[in-house]
Amino acid sequence: MDDQAQTMIENLHKNTGKSLEEWIDLVKKEKLEKHGQIVKWLKETHSFTHGFANLVAHKTLKSDAGSASDHDELIQLQYKGKEHFLPVLEKLKNEISLFGKDVEFIPKKAYISVKRKKQFAMLIPATKTRFDIGINLKGQEAEGVLALDTKTSGMVSHRIELQSIEDLSSEVIDWLKKAYESAG
């Protein structure tokens, strides 16, 4: 488990008086089975922030990288039926890795989180015809290929949609670099 997740788990107990395991038990008693349902219930019923609700949801569903035994398996599952997007992922990982030695790629159940000191991007094989790049650039106007995000519940501020590797332009890489720089 990474240091950030461990700190959040400790703060969850300090802030709520209940351990992560106790919150997981409460979620299971409610018979909530979808990530969004869990997050909504924790935020509305228990006044959780999005970060803590997201943590409990991931741990309950075992959908975070820390709960997975094999990161490669998470990636294989993400790209099942979308294998044609694997070259897009590899090119993005290669380009983003050039930004600095502090870049981390953390597979989740449905996407790969890209972080420096904090998450600055998400790589998402969204559908069979669309690959999304979520980018954190709060306060940035939408322009060019950069659109405001409406799909990730505040996990990123902007989104870039790709249909193929040909859409992976220097403009896309420049936006990712800007997000990387603002995350450090």
Side-chain angles (χ1 to χ4, degrees):
M1 182 178 316
D2 66 16
D3 292 341
Q4 182 181 8
Q6 186 58 47
T7 300
M8 282 192 73
I9 291 169
E10 291 166 9
N11 287 337
L12 176 68
H13 188 261
K14 286 179 194 171
N15 294 348
T16 67
K18 288 184 176 71
S19 68
L20 175 61
E21 292 74 22
E22 291 171 300
W23 283 111
I24 291 171
D25 288 343
L26 285 171
V27 169
K28 288 180 178 178
K29 284 179 186 169
E30 290 291 318
K31 296 183 174 33
L32 302 171
E33 297 176 0
K34 294 190 176 186
H35 186 92
Q37 293 172 323
I38 297 168
V39 169
K40 182 179 179 184
W41 180 74
L42 290 168
K43 289 168 82 171
E44 290 178 359
T45 308
H46 297 284
S47 302
F48 270 44
T49 63
H50 183 78
F52 284 118
N54 192 47
L55 170 75
V56 172
H58 274 305
K59 293 297 184 184
T60 301
L61 300 172
K62 296 185 179 357
S63 60
D64 62 317
S67 297
S69 58
D70 183 358
H71 291 182
D72 290 336
E73 184 180 341
L74 282 173
I75 293 171
Q76 287 175 353
L77 291 171
Q78 284 175 26
Y79 287 84
K80 187 172 181 150
K82 305 170 195 172
E83 291 85 357
H84 58 283
F85 281 130
L86 283 168
V88 173
L89 173 65
E90 289 308 311
K91 184 161 174 68
L92 280 166
K93 285 175 71 175
N94 290 336
E95 292 288 336
I96 294 168
S97 292
L98 297 174
F99 298 164
K101 295 181 193 265
D102 57 349
V103 173
E104 291 181 79
F105 297 93
I106 305 164
K108 307 288 185 178
K109 187 173 183 181
Y111 63 93
I112 296 174
S113 174
V114 187
K115 60 186 271 194
R116 190 177 189 187
K117 290 183 180 173
K118 59 183 181 177
Q119 178 176 281
F120 65 90
M122 294 168 59
L123 308 178
I124 312 161
T127 69
K128 289 183 180 188
T129 60
R130 194 182 83 237
F131 188 101
D132 287 351
I133 302 171
I135 297 180
N136 276 324
L137 280 173
K138 295 203 184 338
Q140 172 67 49
E141 296 277 331
E143 61 181 86
V145 297
L146 190 69
L148 292 176
D149 179 68
T150 58
K151 299 181 189 295
T152 61
S153 303
M155 293 173 67
V156 293
S157 60
H158 294 79
R159 180 176 40 85
I160 297 173
E161 291 183 6
L162 308 175
Q163 275 71 49
S164 70
I165 199 162
E166 287 77 28
D167 295 336
L168 196 48
S169 65
S170 60
E171 180 186 3
V172 172
I173 303 304
D174 289 345
W175 285 120
L176 283 162
K177 175 85 173 188
K178 187 171 182 178
Y180 164 81
E181 290 168 351
S182 71

